[in-house]
Amino acid sequence: MKTINKVLLGLAVVGSLTVAAADGAKLYKSCGACHGASGEKKALGKSAVIKGWDATKIVEALNGYKAGTYGGAMKGLMKGQVKALDDAQIEALAKYIESKK
């Protein structure tokens, strides 16, 4: 019985990771318009290129934009973009962007 529980737990974890990746890809669609398909562009020619950032840096930046404590020229625009995202969505988005290295 313990083996069955381990298998089910493993499948649940894999399933949740797949859902998070799918959510991140879906969330990134609105980001891609300015940042490019894989984060390779300076958004509107003003922001940093986000391709190559690790998830921790992305989470910090997105939370900072949300709080109004992070950013330069794009601060106001980005605050509006992230205001409706919850912690799980920010984490999924950060992991998706990180995967574009």
Side-chain angles (χ1 to χ4, degrees):
M1 196 62 159
K2 289 183 180 184
T3 302
I4 291 172
N5 288 340
K6 288 179 184 178
V7 170
L8 292 175
L9 177 61
L11 290 173
V13 169
V14 170
S16 67
L17 292 174
T18 302
V19 170
D23 288 345
K26 183 178 176 182
L27 290 166
Y28 187 77
K29 286 184 180 184
S30 63
C31 307
C34 295
H35 287 283
S38 61
E40 76 282 2
K41 294 182 181 178
K42 290 184 174 187
L44 304 177
K46 297 179 182 180
S47 75
V49 171
I50 60 173
K51 185 174 185 168
W53 285 21
D54 64 46
T56 301
K57 182 175 181 176
I58 297 164
V59 167
E60 288 174 1
L62 294 177
N63 283 326
Y65 279 126
K66 193 172 179 178
T69 59
Y70 180 89
M74 304 306 290
K75 186 176 185 176
L77 177 70
M78 283 300 299
K79 184 172 184 169
Q81 294 297 311
V82 300
K83 69 181 177 184
L85 298 177
D86 63 29
D87 290 342
Q89 290 172 315
I90 288 174
E91 188 69 32
L93 185 54
K95 287 180 180 178
Y96 179 78
I97 294 168
E98 179 184 56
S99 77
K100 296 299 180 182
K101 289 183 178 180

